[in-house]
């Protein structure tokens, strides 16, 4: 019953607020959805303790779902450590986002609809993470996609919000094609879509070869590659990342939910859940490592120059997801999940702090129009610094018997970098070596753009309208309290849970083994690494902070840099990064423009000229015109009908006479 309540409480709230919101009112809709999410969140922590510390594993059958021939798929809940982690992440962040939204959305006329969408989003993600088979997971996967479309485009009267929602939906459908093909291939190879059945027989199918796109692939490698395409779409990896920054068009609480707990974590969860498949697919695992590492680097470079406060944090998410993927690629699934866990706290904190700043500045998001507001929003300022320290992974590395101490990101991010180094030691794993250096460089850039955000937003002179500065104020308690709770997580989640995820209690915590079995790369054990590897992330983080301070604080650096960018256009390299490597423009010039031209052909030629030309504008138009002419004879006058009859008789007589003569 515990797990059923966790799963279905958000759905009940979504249905009540969505179907009866107008009848019960906005306040009641907010109360119901928030109360049910808080209930789900509290029970998730109870479940987390039972699973992770009590070694509880279970499979709870709810009902028969699909039964067609040899194909069977029940709706069942898979309860294990991986599920427990995701339950805590999803429901905790979602519950705090619900509470925060009471203040953020207080003046919005569509509050009942908004809270209904939020709760539905949470339910769809819970379906995804509690699934015991790939079909059920796909159902939750698509449900999350629908929810993201509704929430990103929540302000549907804004053309930019509609465009962003469509972009997110379409981009994810590209990835979902790969996921769907992967699930079909799984059934073809294993005759089942149940996780346990598939994973138990992975090594039995290691030598099986399948044709695909005119080539032959190992069946396991093919399945792993197709599943990863789906993961790339949901978790915004390079090539399929383009929807993520535009998702900022939705309300800020939506951004926090998408980036910290729901949609973007789905891809990482999928790879970790399917870890037995990836362990048996070294080629695709290398690809996962390369794409994850490149995404971490690529997104960090873009974050260096963005001016929208939410977009900086969005590209930070993209970069951090890259860390999670390359951790999974080198076999450190425990480190990937640990970073997902800690990231949820500090990324939700950063987004909601950004929302607090936006509300304080009357919905201004351009950091070039901010500055000098730390005195007016002290709580937001302190908590955003805490989130920044956690994101940048500030901490003291291991020294002798001292194992190190720091903020949440220090434990999980450093563990990933160390795992990449361990996997690449000896030079036999080129993707891991690339991931180590890319992760290290990205860590330095993360520090720079994170402190740049702090300095541009809170320090220096206020660069907006002076009249607005008079009205800047701290957010209400229903917005600040969730920030404080997330701040506690950003400080303590790493040190408190390190032993369970990666340290001495790891085996005990994971119960029957890590998500990837017992063969994944070891992420813990600081003392096994060279001292320079342990200290390198700390050094680049400090260098990033110093560089940001020098460029944006020393001698009014922010004002000077903004003026310089305005005067010289920013330079070629600056424009390249500001325009996100021109990936969107490349898509526009190739895929989008081509698709639009193809659509025009089908529309203007296929639809208008052929279908409409021969149909409504052709035979149908002629029939209508003839009918209109003939209808004029229906005047109601008897002599008109007699005249028509006479014409008919005359015509018949003429026809008979012509035949007789002939």
């Amino acid at each position: 019953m515990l797990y059923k309540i966790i799963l279905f409480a958000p759905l009940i709230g979504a249905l009540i607020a969505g179907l009866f919101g107008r009848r019960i009112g906005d306040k009641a809709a907010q109360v119901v959805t928030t109360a049910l999410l808080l209930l789900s969140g509290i029970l998730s922590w109870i479940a987390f303790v039972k699973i992770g510390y009590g070694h509880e594993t279970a499979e709870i059958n709810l009902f028969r779902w699909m039964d067609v021939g040899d194909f069977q798929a029940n709706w069942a809940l898979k309860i294990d450590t991986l599920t427990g982690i995701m339950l805590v992440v999803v429901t905790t962040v979602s519950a705090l986002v619900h509470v925060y939204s009471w203040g953020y959305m207080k003046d919005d006329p569509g509050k009942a609809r908004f809270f209904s969408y939020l709760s539905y989003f949470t339910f769809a993600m819970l379906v995804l993470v509690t699934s015991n088979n790939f079909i059920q997971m796909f159902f939750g996967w698509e449900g999350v996609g629908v929810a993201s479309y509704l929430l990103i485009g929540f302000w549907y009267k804004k053309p930019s919000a509609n465009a962003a929602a469509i972009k997110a939906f379409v981009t994810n459908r590209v990835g979902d094609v790969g996921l769907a093909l992967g699930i079909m291939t799984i059934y073809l190879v294993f005759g089942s879509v149940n996780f346990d059945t598939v994973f138990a027989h992975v090594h039995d199918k290691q030598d099986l070869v399948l044709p695909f796109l005119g080539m032959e692939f190992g069946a396991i490698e093919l399945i792993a590659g197709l599943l990863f395409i789906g993961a790339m779409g949901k978790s915004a990896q390079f090539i399929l990342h383009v929807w993520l920054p535009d998702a900022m068009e939705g309300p800020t609480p939506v951004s926090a939910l998408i980036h910290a707990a729901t949609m973007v974590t789905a891809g990482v969860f999928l790879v970790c859940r399917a870890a037995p498949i990836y362990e048996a697919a070294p080629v695709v695992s290398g690809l996962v490592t390369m794409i994850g590492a490149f995404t971490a680097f690529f997104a960090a470079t873009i974050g260096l120059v963005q001016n929208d406060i939410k977009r900086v944090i969005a590209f930070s998410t993209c970069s951090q997801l890259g860390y999670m993927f390359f951790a999974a690629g080198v076999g450190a699934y425990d480190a990937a999940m640990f970073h997902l866990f800690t990231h949820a706290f500090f990324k939700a904190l950063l987004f909601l702090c950004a929302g607090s700043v936006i509300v304080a500045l009357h919905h201004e998001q351009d950091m070039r129009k901010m500055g000098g507001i730390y005195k007016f929003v002290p709580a937001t300022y302190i908590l955003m610094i805490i989130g920044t320290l956690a994101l940048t992974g500030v901490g003291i590395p291991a020294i002798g018997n001292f194992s190190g101490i720091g903020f949440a990101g220090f434990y999980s991010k450093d563990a990933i970098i160390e795992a990449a180094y361990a996997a690449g030691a000896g030079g036999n794993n080129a993707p891991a070596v690339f991931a180590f250096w890319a992760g290290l460089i990205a860590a330095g850039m993360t520090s720079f753009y994170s402190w740049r955000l702090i300095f541009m937003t809170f320090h220096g002179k206020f660069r907006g309208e002076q009249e607005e500065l008079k009205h800047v104020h701290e957010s209400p308690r229903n917005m600040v309290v969730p920030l404080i709770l997330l701040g506690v997580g950003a400080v303590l989640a790493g040190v408190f849970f390190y032993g369970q995820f990666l340290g001495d209690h790891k085996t005990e915590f994971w119960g029957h083994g890590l998500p990837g079995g017992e063969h994944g790369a070891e992420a813990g054990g600081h003392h096994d690494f060279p001292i320079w590897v342990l200290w390198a992330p700390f050094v680049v983080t400090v260098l990033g902070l110093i560089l940001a301070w020098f460029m944006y604080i020393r001698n009014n650096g922010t004002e000077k840099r903004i003026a310089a960018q305005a005067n010289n256009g920013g330079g070629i390299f600056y424009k390249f990064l500001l325009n996100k490597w021109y990936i969107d423009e490349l898509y526009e010039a190739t895929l989008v423009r081509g698709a639009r031209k193809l659509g025009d052909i089908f529309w203007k030629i296929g639809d208008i000229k052929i279908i409409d030309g021969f149909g409504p504008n052709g035979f149908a138009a002629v029939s209508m015109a003839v009918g209109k002419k003939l209808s004029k004879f229906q005047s109601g006058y008897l002599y008109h009908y007699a005249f028509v009859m006479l014409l008919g008789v005359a015509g018949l007589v003429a026809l008979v006479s012509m035949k007789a003569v002939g």
Side-chain angles (χ1 to χ4, degrees):
M1 181 59 71
L2 171 69
Y3 300 105
K4 294 178 183 178
I5 295 174
I6 292 172
L7 175 61
F8 290 109
L11 176 62
I12 294 171
L15 291 174
I16 292 173
L19 298 177
F20 307 107
R22 291 185 178 180
R23 182 171 300 178
I24 64 178
D26 289 342
K27 191 66 173 288
Q30 291 175 240
V31 170
V32 169
T33 52
T34 305
L36 289 171
L37 245 301
L38 288 170
L39 173 64
S40 186
I42 293 169
L43 294 180
S44 292
W45 278 99
I46 295 173
F48 179 67
V49 172
K50 290 179 64 178
I51 296 168
Y53 297 91
H55 312 312
E56 177 175 312
T57 59
E59 191 168 291
I60 303 172
N61 247 328
L62 299 183
F63 52 84
R64 180 178 293 181
W65 191 28
M66 295 184 182
D67 194 344
V68 182
D70 295 331
F71 175 76
Q72 291 182 341
N74 292 336
W75 191 294
L77 310 182
K78 182 177 178 63
I79 306 303
D80 61 4
T81 307
L82 195 58
T83 303
I85 294 167
M86 295 304 297
L87 288 179
V88 164
V89 168
V90 173
T91 58
T92 301
V93 174
S94 183
L96 294 176
V97 166
H98 272 70
V99 174
Y100 177 92
S101 298
W102 280 57
Y104 192 89
M105 302 293 289
K106 65 177 182 179
D107 297 323
D108 197 287
K111 287 191 286 291
R113 179 167 59 93
F114 179 77
F115 278 84
S116 175
Y117 290 170
L118 280 185
S119 292
Y120 168 67
F121 203 172
T122 307
F123 166 72
M125 190 65 188
L126 291 175
V127 170
L128 193 158
V129 302
T130 58
S131 302
N132 85 323
N133 63 76
F134 284 98
I135 294 292
Q136 184 179 332
M137 186 200 70
F138 189 73
F139 178 78
W141 191 276
E142 294 303 300
V144 167
V146 171
S148 68
Y149 173 81
L150 294 172
L151 284 167
I152 294 170
F154 178 77
W155 288 320
Y156 57 87
K157 293 183 180 180
K158 288 176 58 179
S160 58
N162 288 325
I166 294 171
K167 187 175 184 179
F169 195 78
V170 171
T171 305
N172 275 274
R173 297 294 73 71
V174 174
D176 292 354
V177 170
L179 178 59
L181 290 173
I183 295 173
M184 295 174 194
T185 308
I186 286 172
Y187 182 70
L188 174 67
V189 172
F190 296 97
S192 173
V193 292
N194 183 275
F195 290 147
D196 292 340
T197 303
V198 171
F199 299 156
H201 295 90
V202 167
H203 291 285
D204 300 339
K205 306 294 183 179
Q206 199 100 39
D207 299 326
L208 180 64
V209 176
L210 292 176
F212 184 71
L213 297 177
M215 297 176 283
E216 290 190 338
F217 297 89
I220 304 303
E221 295 278 7
L222 178 61
I223 290 170
L226 291 171
L227 293 180
F228 181 56
I229 292 173
M232 288 174 64
K234 273 289 183 289
S235 293
Q237 294 300 281
F238 180 69
I239 296 175
L240 296 180
H241 70 282
V242 291
W243 66 270
L244 193 63
D246 291 354
M248 299 301 99
E249 290 292 338
T252 299
V254 174
S255 303
L257 195 56
I258 289 176
H259 287 249
T262 53
M263 190 162 172
V264 299
T265 63
V268 179
F269 169 80
L270 170 61
V271 172
C272 290
R273 173 61 82 194
I277 292 176
Y278 286 93
E279 287 185 349
V283 175
V284 173
S285 291
L287 178 65
V288 173
T289 303
M290 292 292 291
I291 290 180
F294 185 76
T295 302
F297 171 83
F298 159 80
T301 64
I302 298 174
L304 296 174
V305 300
Q306 296 300 305
N307 295 311
D308 185 307
I309 187 171
K310 288 172 64 177
R311 284 179 181 263
V312 175
I313 304 173
F315 280 107
S316 167
T317 299
C318 192
S319 181
Q320 297 303 306
L321 289 165
Y323 278 94
M324 298 175 207
F325 273 109
F326 80 69
V330 300
Y333 304 99
D334 48 1
M337 288 306 301
F338 189 32
H339 197 50
L340 185 153
F341 179 79
T342 60
H343 178 264
F345 292 101
F346 59 73
K347 188 49 59 69
L349 174 61
L350 287 170
F351 262 115
L352 296 184
C353 281
S356 183
V357 169
I358 292 168
V359 169
L361 295 174
H362 307 285
H363 297 280
E364 179 59 67
Q365 295 183 199
D366 191 335
M367 295 187 299
R368 292 170 297 185
K369 299 178 181 179
M370 300 180 185
I373 64 170
Y374 71 93
K375 296 178 182 178
F376 303 98
V377 287
T380 299
Y381 173 61
I382 293 170
L383 288 163
M384 199 153 198
I385 287 181
I386 290 173
T388 298
L389 293 169
L391 169 63
T392 56
V394 172
I396 305 299
I399 305 174
N401 293 325
F402 176 64
S403 60
I405 189 169
F407 289 82
F410 162 73
Y411 293 91
S412 54
K413 180 207 66 182
D414 282 24
I416 289 174
I417 293 175
E418 291 160 10
Y421 175 83
N428 296 323
N429 189 337
V433 174
F434 172 73
F436 170 74
W437 289 108
L440 202 57
I441 295 169
M445 291 190 288
T446 300
S447 178
F448 174 84
Y449 67 65
S450 297
W451 287 108
R452 172 180 177 266
L453 183 152
I454 294 291
F455 297 149
M456 290 185 69
T457 302
F458 296 101
H459 291 271
K461 298 178 181 179
F462 184 69
R463 298 176 295 278
E465 297 293 334
Q466 290 301 311
E467 187 62 30
E468 291 183 4
L469 188 60
K470 298 177 182 178
H471 304 287
V472 176
H473 57 84
E474 186 59 87
S475 298
R477 277 183 298 178
N478 54 14
M479 292 175 67
V480 172
V481 170
L483 298 182
I484 294 172
L485 295 176
L486 290 169
V488 172
V491 174
L492 300 178
V495 64
F496 193 78
F497 290 102
Y498 174 81
Q500 283 67 39
F501 277 87
L502 303 174
D504 297 335
H505 304 291
K506 177 175 68 174
T507 303
E508 183 181 338
F509 176 72
W510 289 105
H512 293 287
L514 303 178
E518 299 175 359
H519 309 293
E522 184 67 41
H526 283 301
H527 301 286
D528 299 332
F529 298 97
I531 192 71
W532 72 269
V533 173
L534 299 178
W535 279 85
F538 176 79
V539 171
V540 297
T541 298
V542 172
L543 290 175
L545 166 59
I546 293 172
L547 183 60
W549 176 85
F550 186 82
M551 294 177 65
Y552 288 92
I553 290 294
R554 188 173 182 269
N555 298 328
N556 296 322
T558 300
E559 286 72 18
K560 290 182 178 179
R561 296 202 67 79
I562 291 174
Q565 291 163 10
N567 292 333
N568 62 22
I572 295 175
F573 186 62
Y574 176 83
K575 287 182 179 179
F576 179 73
L577 297 182
L578 188 64
N579 288 283
K580 300 163 288 188
W581 292 35
Y582 292 100
I583 301 296
D584 283 283
E585 287 77 5
L586 179 62
Y587 280 158
E588 176 68 30
T590 55
L591 300 177
V592 175
R593 193 173 298 171
R596 190 179 291 121
K597 287 182 179 179
L598 184 62
D600 284 345
I601 291 172
F602 282 120
W603 169 41
K604 294 178 180 179
I605 297 177
D607 193 2
I608 295 178
K609 291 188 177 180
I610 297 177
I611 297 176
D612 287 349
F614 286 98
N617 299 329
F619 297 115
V622 171
S623 299
M624 186 178 294
V626 172
K628 285 183 178 179
K629 295 290 185 183
L630 293 176
S631 68
K632 293 181 179 179
F633 290 106
Q634 302 296 322
S635 63
Y637 293 108
L638 183 61
Y639 62 86
H640 282 174
Y641 299 143
F643 178 69
V644 172
M645 293 174 64
L646 182 60
L647 289 177
V649 172
L652 288 173
V653 170
L655 181 61
V656 171
S657 300
M658 287 173 64
K659 286 188 175 182
V661 172

